[in-house]
Amino acid sequence: MNYSYILIASLGLGLIASHLQAEDEIVPAEEILGERLFLETRFAQSYMNNPAQADPVLDKTATLQGMRPGPFKGTNMSCRACHMVDEHKDTAMAGMRTYADFARRSPVPAREDRQATAVRNSQSLVGINRQKDTVFHHDGEFPTLQDLVRATFTGRNMGWLAGEEKQAEQHIAAVIRGDDGKGALAREFGGSYTNALGGRVGDSVLPAQYRLDVSEASDTEILDAVAELVTVYISALDFSRDEQGHYNGSAYDAFLAKNQLPRRPQQGESDKAYAQRLHKAMQSLAAVAYVGGKDGKLALHEQAFRFAGQELAGMRIFFGKGNCVSCHTPPTFSDYNFHNTGVSQTAYDALHGQGAFMQLAIPGTVDPDQHYRDIAAKDRPGYTDLGIWNILGNPATSLMHQNVLRKRLCASACEPNMAMAKSIAAFKTPLLRDLGHNAPYMHDGSKDTLEDVLAHYVQVAHLARAGKLRNSSADIEAVSLTASDIKPLAAFLRALNEDYE
């Protein structure tokens, strides 16, 4: 669902987002309440510590071009602080977001651990829950989106340290129980939490499955209800589609429709099979109808609504010799799986010398005292981020979840040692739609532009074929790109941009 938003000024809350009904569609009560909880600032540890004092980390927004005035200044941390939409729409060198921020790594509230940012880049949330069998986060830590939401509310991003999860749960439950319905969010989103969870969200009725009597519920039950409702809200976020369910917001989508190319998988058809069918149909086009200004326009991107010769050349590379489609399968342009794209290795080698990552001693199991889920630094040899390796080899990860991750890494059952080897520095494939609203790129935010990303793949594919990429794969070795391919490929990727609001 592609929602529209407005920005409203609220006393003590700065700028917050408010739902607008998408044309004639009625927004379900559970999504309205989920959005309110997504915006809630009182769940943060800093609010519990001192309700009268705002979190200074929100005074500014970190961007690649420097600090900008923060739209959440005077408040405390919320989900929206790291997953923005239109808060910086009119800010120079910033702009719209698809539920992401502008930093390489999102700032986190100051605590005794002196951690200033998250370890990884903030993920865009649009479309992330379109596959029922997916797992969540860059490293697949969470078996469900609800697990991810719950851990976020009780984790470091909201200011809580490891071991404070129960304290966070108690605090969140106290906020829910104590809400008097007089705050800005309550006025905008339908009254007190007691009334909303009891079934009445403003003029809407909350379905019975989401209702909770907060006076009788335990702290855990309240947190679970909060996480479930936020999950419902996030799950509704999607790029523009028509009544038949076809994506229709980008010039690429218009190109498929104009040339009568298949626009989505048929019933029972896998995304990979659909990609092969689309590629074959594209190659068989007798005459090509290009897309231009008469077919649409982009108001939120500084580019024309176009799919012409350059974009088509990039599409042919993407589906062909570039082998991009092996991981970025349409129509969402993700296989929702895990791959080593060499980001951790090239970042580590840039600090410690060529080949250093290949020589790094990596054990067979995860020790919490090891630093393999961390930010690499010149003065800290051994510190790096090994992605899904951290989850697969962690004794705290359930056997059921480990089995799910092994199947993803091996495509079928495989021995634990083999799965661990395949997990080194592997991260989840992101979606590619509307990338223009999601820079910087990669799990560490290390690439500023699409051209930077593509140049990285030219380099890494060369390393892989030379046997110099640790935990290489056939997919990355099959990437056959040259510097001359970067411009058309970037043009194709920009043709996936749309005016998401």
Side-chain angles (χ1 to χ4, degrees):
M1 185 176 298
N2 191 347
Y3 290 124
S4 298
Y5 293 84
I6 58 173
L7 289 176
I8 61 172
S10 300
L11 292 175
L13 282 179
L15 294 175
I16 64 173
S18 175
H19 257 312
L20 287 180
Q21 193 167 306
E23 298 180 355
D24 296 328
E25 188 172 1
I26 297 175
V27 180
E30 59 271 26
E31 292 177 25
I32 295 173
L33 185 52
E35 181 182 9
R36 175 183 172 183
L37 294 162
F38 190 84
L39 298 167
E40 180 61 72
T41 62
R42 292 175 295 170
F43 293 161
Q45 188 274 341
S46 57
Y47 180 86
M48 184 203 71
N49 188 49
N50 188 347
Q53 182 175 327
D55 190 340
V57 78
L58 296 171
D59 287 353
K60 301 284 186 179
T61 295
T63 76
L64 298 181
Q65 289 74 36
M67 304 302 286
R68 299 289 184 267
F72 304 107
K73 182 178 180 178
T75 71
N76 291 280
M77 187 63 71
S78 71
C79 302
R80 189 58 174 260
C82 298
H83 298 285
M84 303 180 195
V85 183
D86 55 3
E87 284 83 358
H88 280 291
K89 179 181 177 181
D90 299 318
T91 302
M93 306 301 290
M96 294 289 292
R97 296 279 88 180
T98 50
Y99 284 80
D101 61 17
F102 299 85
R104 298 194 191 282
R105 297 178 172 91
S106 300
V108 298
R111 289 296 306 275
E112 297 87 331
D113 62 359
R114 298 185 179 180
Q115 185 176 336
T117 70
V119 173
R120 300 178 184 136
N121 182 250
S122 172
Q123 289 183 300
S124 170
L125 298 182
V126 182
I128 67 166
N129 201 23
R130 309 315 297 176
Q131 301 274 22
K132 292 183 179 179
D133 63 343
T134 193
V135 294
F136 294 89
H137 239 218
H138 286 293
D139 56 14
E141 178 180 4
F142 303 104
T144 70
L145 181 55
Q146 187 170 337
D147 290 324
L148 185 157
V149 172
R150 195 182 197 284
T152 300
F153 276 127
T154 61
R156 190 64 185 85
N157 291 74
M158 297 294 285
W160 303 100
L161 299 177
E164 293 181 344
E165 293 82 4
K166 183 56 65 174
Q167 185 180 5
E169 179 182 279
Q170 293 169 351
H171 170 64
I172 291 167
V175 170
I176 295 294
R177 293 191 187 100
D179 182 58
D180 59 8
K182 296 179 180 180
L185 285 177
R187 295 194 302 271
E188 193 67 31
F189 287 90
S192 72
Y193 282 127
T194 296
N195 289 341
L197 286 166
R200 179 58 62 181
V201 183
D203 296 329
S204 302
V205 177
L206 188 69
Q209 69 194 85
Y210 301 109
R211 296 179 195 173
L212 189 71
D213 183 347
V214 300
S215 66
E216 298 290 338
S218 67
D219 294 347
T220 299
E221 288 171 334
I222 290 176
L223 178 56
D224 287 344
V226 167
E228 182 179 20
L229 287 161
V230 172
T231 297
V232 170
Y233 168 64
I234 295 173
S235 298
L237 303 176
D238 196 11
F239 295 107
S240 179
R241 299 193 193 220
D242 62 21
E243 293 180 356
Q244 288 73 44
H246 298 116
Y247 288 106
N248 66 351
S250 71
Y252 163 81
D253 299 317
F255 175 79
L256 296 188
K258 197 169 187 177
N259 289 276
Q260 298 183 340
L261 292 168
R263 298 169 66 186
R264 67 176 181 182
Q266 297 172 341
Q267 187 172 1
E269 183 180 34
S270 70
D271 285 355
K272 285 193 178 292
Y274 161 66
Q276 293 169 353
R277 181 164 61 91
L278 173 57
H279 188 204
K280 184 177 181 180
M282 175 183 60
Q283 290 175 310
S284 302
L285 280 176
V288 178
Y290 290 136
V291 169
K294 294 181 179 180
D295 301 296
K297 64 179 181 179
L298 292 171
L300 302 177
H301 291 274
E302 294 181 0
Q303 67 179 75
F305 192 86
R306 180 181 63 230
F307 198 103
Q310 185 90 298
E311 289 76 16
L312 181 57
M315 183 176 178
R316 286 174 171 153
I317 295 169
F318 187 95
F319 280 77
K321 70 170 188 173
N323 201 40
C324 313
V325 75
S326 66
C327 302
H328 293 285
T329 47
T332 62
F333 291 94
S334 176
D335 63 358
Y336 298 86
N337 215 332
F338 298 85
H339 306 274
N340 174 26
T341 58
V343 174
S344 290
Q345 177 167 325
T346 55
Y348 192 84
D349 284 359
L351 295 169
H352 302 292
Q354 194 67 32
F357 191 83
M358 290 284 284
Q359 301 301 317
L360 183 65
I362 299 176
T365 56
V366 178
D367 184 329
D369 292 329
Q370 294 165 347
H371 300 287
Y372 297 124
R373 199 186 194 189
D374 217 318
I375 300 172
K378 182 74 172 178
D379 60 348
R380 300 192 303 179
Y383 281 65
T384 187
D385 193 346
L386 298 184
I388 193 175
W389 180 92
N390 291 284
I391 308 305
L392 188 62
N394 192 332
T397 303
S398 72
L399 291 177
M400 181 180 296
H401 192 42
Q402 288 186 36
N403 287 335
V404 169
L405 297 179
R406 285 195 194 102
K407 288 179 181 179
R408 286 178 173 272
L409 289 165
C410 300
S412 61
C414 65
E415 294 297 321
N417 288 344
M418 181 183 297
M420 286 297 292
K422 287 179 175 289
S423 73
I424 292 174
F427 295 84
K428 192 177 179 183
T429 308
L431 285 68
L432 298 185
R433 288 185 174 272
D434 209 16
L435 286 174
H437 288 159
N438 195 23
Y441 307 109
M442 305 307 216
H443 72 265
D444 61 351
S446 60
K447 311 303 178 189
D448 294 5
T449 68
L450 296 177
E451 286 79 4
D452 293 337
V453 173
L454 296 172
H456 168 80
Y457 280 111
V458 173
Q459 173 193 6
V460 168
H462 176 75
L463 290 175
R465 287 190 291 273
K468 296 180 180 180
L469 178 67
R470 188 167 189 167
N471 186 27
S472 183
S473 68
D475 287 333
I476 199 73
E477 291 166 13
V479 172
S480 180
L481 295 176
T482 64
S484 62
D485 295 321
I486 291 177
K487 186 174 180 179
L489 259 179
F492 169 69
L493 292 174
R494 289 191 174 96
L496 296 175
N497 286 341
E498 64 178 82
D499 280 346
Y500 181 87
E501 294 185 87

